[in-house]
Structure formats: structure tokens, C-alpha cells
Amino acid sequence: MRVAFYAPLKPPDHPVPSGDRRVARLLVQALCHAGHDVFIASRLRSYDGTGDPIRQVRLARIGTRIADRLLRRWQHDPATAPDLWVTYHLYYKAPDWLGPTVSAALRIPYVVAEASHAAKRAAGPWQISHRAVETALCRTDLVFGLNPADRAGVLPFLRRPESWAVLPPFLDARNYRSADMPPTSSTTPRLITVAMMRPGDKLASYRVLAAALVTLLDLPWSLDIIGDGPVRPEIEQILMPLEARVAYHGTLDDAGVAQALARADLFLWPAINEAFGMALLEAQASGLPVIAGASGGVAGIIADGETGLLVPPGDIGAFAAAARRLIRDQAVRRAMGIAARTRVKREHDLPVAAERLARAIGSLGRTSAA
């Protein structure tokens, strides 16, 4: 099929790296792997981070104009029109003002990968965007759920319960070291964190990380931090008591992150309010056990006690205890790392995701969009 791909939060070719951009790129890659001809339908960013109704109305108008322009183009040249529309990451801050209109006009299936519905936004400053999300969900032929926590909120808006299809987060495991590589260190475990330095939940997670590690100074370890952002000075201040053990590497490209993970022994991230966390999956693909907070869909990608350890989100004591256990026990780290790599290959590798996508999309065919 010819597939129109749209990511209203951030297009896959956006210059600023993020987990969202990473997942968008992987979805395009998986769709291509499944044999589809994929193109970016639009680069309109419908994101409203402040709850500004005026901005939401303006974005809706821009979206309507773009949708009309796309339809005129494809009506003039039907051979270039898509057979399927796929929108990635639909939620109240970044609604889809294009896909429902275009897919209905062209009578093609409308598919969403990762959607969430926040009922509490119905009467707040995002109510315009919130209603747009509800409208889009009601017109959706298929939703791929990357985060199991989203299912309960989305399902009531779908025309059929079977329109929800599970798609576990995935990556291309070939880009990461194999599980049969020897341990990277023996006497001083290298811990690693990969996370952007943004206010809010990321900063809160860094606070938990620092508070936990300061209780572990009686053990030998070092910490590599991959990531950067506007609150880096504040994070460096928080981690000042650990300064002698911490190395900051800033933002790295995908290859750089993979190389850094290959040198590490244990991945740490408190994951406060994390949807699922691509970095957690990358670490496991690199043969690393992961210690994380059990937020959102994190438990769906980390098998507690098998590929890592999960703790209550924000629980500093539990996080520190889990870290202490794995820092001290190289044999357990090694066993968990091998199990993590094996599980990623079995359940979260790109070819597996491509097969899931192909199977679900193949059951749709062309449809009359409501």
C-alpha cells in the first residue's frame, strides 16, 4: 500500500532528537519493512503545550487548509494518492487535524499508532484539541496500542473492540551489541542513564536518581549520563555530591548512544510518569539489566526479576535498594542482561513489529470512513 504518514507532535525528520521522533522513525521503518510505500503527508506540528485556545483554533484552520490542499492534489493526480493514512501519537496536546478529513474524503482506512484519551481535559484549556482527539478516535479504523495503559481510555470511542491492536514498543536490535559479548567491567560497574534534561517529569526522575545514588557511595561504581537540555545546570547541581563519579556526555546520535550502552553494565532510570521509555528498550537490546520506576507501560517492556528490577515510581529507598543489589552482584547482572537481549529479539525487534503491522493492516482493506 501507499501510506501517508503523519506525526502531529513531531515529524520523523525533525532536527531535534527525542523519544517521540525516534518512535516515529521506527514506525516508518517498520511499515517499509512490511512492504508499504511510505511518505510524510505533512509536517504540521499541532502541538500546544500551554493550553491556548486561540492557538488551537488557528492550528485547526491551518490543518483544514492543508487537508483541502492535499485532497485537491490527489484528486488531480489519483496515482499519487494514499491507500492508507497512519497518524502517530494522538493526544490532547497534539491532535490530528488532517487524517480524519482526508481519509474520509478518499474512503481509505484511518489508522492511529499510540493514542490516549484524557477525560479530565474535556472542560479545561485544551478542550478544543481534546474534542478533536475524540472525533479522530471515533473515525479510526485501527489503533495500535504501544502503551497498555492507554487502552481503557481509548476503547470506548472505537467502533469495534477489535479495532485496538497491541503493538509493543520496538527497535532494530541489529544496531546494538549482541548478548554474547563479555561483561564490560568487573571491579567498578559502569552505570548509565540516557534521558533528556527537561523540566517536569525528567527533572523529577533525575532528583530521585541523585537521592538514591548518594546512599550508595560505600560501593564502587561510576555513572555515565547521555542527554542534555534546558535544566542541565540544575541537574548538575543536584548531582554535585556525586561529581567525582559522574561523566556527562551530552546529546549523542543513535550510534553514539549504542556505543555508550555497549560499555555499560547497568541502566538506571526512575521513569516518573514515563509512557514506556525507548531508552529502557535500547538498554535491554544492549544486554543491560534495567532498574526503573514502574510507570505507564514500563512494566510492559521490563520483566521484573528477569530482565531488570521495577520499583514504585518515586520511591527513593526502593530504587536505591534495587541498585545496590545489582551493583554488588555481577552474576545476576549478567544473567538479566542476557535475558533482556533475548526478550527484545523475541518481542520487541523491528521484524517482529513489521509482521504485527502487516497482519493488522492487511485485515483492513479499503473501507468507507465514517
Side-chain angles (χ1 to χ4, degrees):
M1 290 187 182
R2 182 165 166 79
V3 178
F5 185 88
Y6 176 52
L9 178 57
K10 180 181 287 187
D13 56 358
H14 193 276
V16 179
S18 67
D20 204 79
R21 188 190 71 171
R22 181 75 190 284
V23 176
R25 290 180 172 185
L26 284 164
L27 278 167
V28 170
Q29 191 177 352
L31 287 165
C32 291
H33 190 91
H36 300 295
D37 175 19
V38 185
F39 67 95
I40 298 176
S42 174
R43 292 174 176 81
L44 172 66
R45 297 192 68 192
S46 66
Y47 180 71
D48 171 26
T50 61
D52 181 355
I54 295 176
R55 175 174 172 79
Q56 291 165 41
V57 169
R58 183 173 64 86
L59 286 167
R61 289 172 178 167
I62 293 172
T64 298
R65 291 199 297 269
I66 292 174
D68 289 343
R69 187 165 66 245
L70 289 172
L71 287 171
R72 286 196 301 270
R73 178 195 306 168
W74 290 328
Q75 288 163 358
H76 176 73
D77 188 3
T80 65
D83 305 298
L84 175 74
W85 183 286
V86 175
T87 290
Y88 164 60
H89 202 175
L90 179 66
Y91 78 123
Y92 73 94
K93 288 186 179 180
D96 183 2
W97 299 111
L98 309 179
T101 299
V102 172
S103 57
L106 295 180
R107 298 173 66 83
I108 62 174
Y110 176 57
V111 174
V112 173
E114 191 175 357
S116 62
H117 177 263
K120 64 183 180 181
R121 304 297 176 183
W126 281 279
Q127 60 181 293
I128 296 172
S129 293
H130 172 82
R131 286 198 300 269
V133 169
E134 291 185 337
T135 298
L137 289 174
C138 288
R139 296 180 180 178
T140 302
D141 295 288
L142 181 64
V143 172
F144 285 106
L146 279 74
N147 184 350
D150 293 330
R151 186 177 185 274
V154 169
L155 204 59
F157 295 91
L158 304 184
R159 287 174 284 188
R160 300 175 303 277
E162 57 270 26
S163 294
W164 174 276
V166 176
L167 180 66
F170 62 93
L171 44 65
D172 190 343
R174 297 174 303 174
N175 296 331
Y176 302 88
R177 76 176 188 182
S178 61
D180 58 2
M181 288 187 65
T184 56
S185 66
S186 56
T187 58
T188 304
R190 295 189 66 164
L191 317 182
I192 190 168
T193 288
V194 180
M196 297 301 290
M197 297 178 175
R198 297 194 296 262
D201 295 329
K202 297 294 187 188
L203 178 58
S205 290
Y206 273 108
R207 290 187 187 280
V208 172
L209 179 67
L213 289 179
V214 81
T215 70
L216 304 177
L217 291 174
D218 58 309
L219 299 176
W221 53 265
S222 65
L223 174 66
D224 292 303
I225 296 180
I226 313 300
D228 212 332
V231 297
R232 176 167 176 167
E234 188 171 349
I235 288 170
E236 290 181 348
Q237 185 64 37
I238 293 168
L239 290 165
M240 186 65 72
L242 311 171
E243 183 179 18
R245 303 201 189 195
V246 178
Y248 297 92
H249 301 277
T251 301
L252 301 179
D253 60 16
D254 292 346
V257 171
Q259 290 171 6
L261 290 170
R263 294 190 296 266
D265 298 290
L266 174 62
F267 189 96
L268 304 179
W269 185 239
I272 293 177
N273 290 329
E274 197 88 41
F276 47 81
M278 283 301 295
L280 307 180
L281 203 56
E282 290 176 322
Q284 293 178 96
S286 301
L288 298 183
V290 172
I291 297 174
S295 298
V298 171
I301 62 173
I302 298 171
D304 188 28
E306 177 187 346
T307 69
L309 298 175
L310 294 174
V311 303
D315 190 327
I316 296 170
F319 194 89
R324 178 176 291 275
R325 175 186 168 190
L326 293 192
I327 289 172
R328 296 178 64 180
D329 198 329
Q330 184 187 65
V332 172
R333 289 202 311 269
R334 180 67 176 151
M336 285 185 171
I338 293 173
R341 171 75 180 182
T342 301
R343 191 168 188 263
V344 166
K345 288 286 289 181
R346 184 180 66 245
E347 300 180 20
H348 301 283
D349 203 2
L350 187 140
V352 178
E355 184 179 348
R356 288 189 176 112
L357 285 167
R359 187 166 54 248
I361 290 173
S363 68
L364 287 175
R366 297 185 71 87
T367 186
S368 177

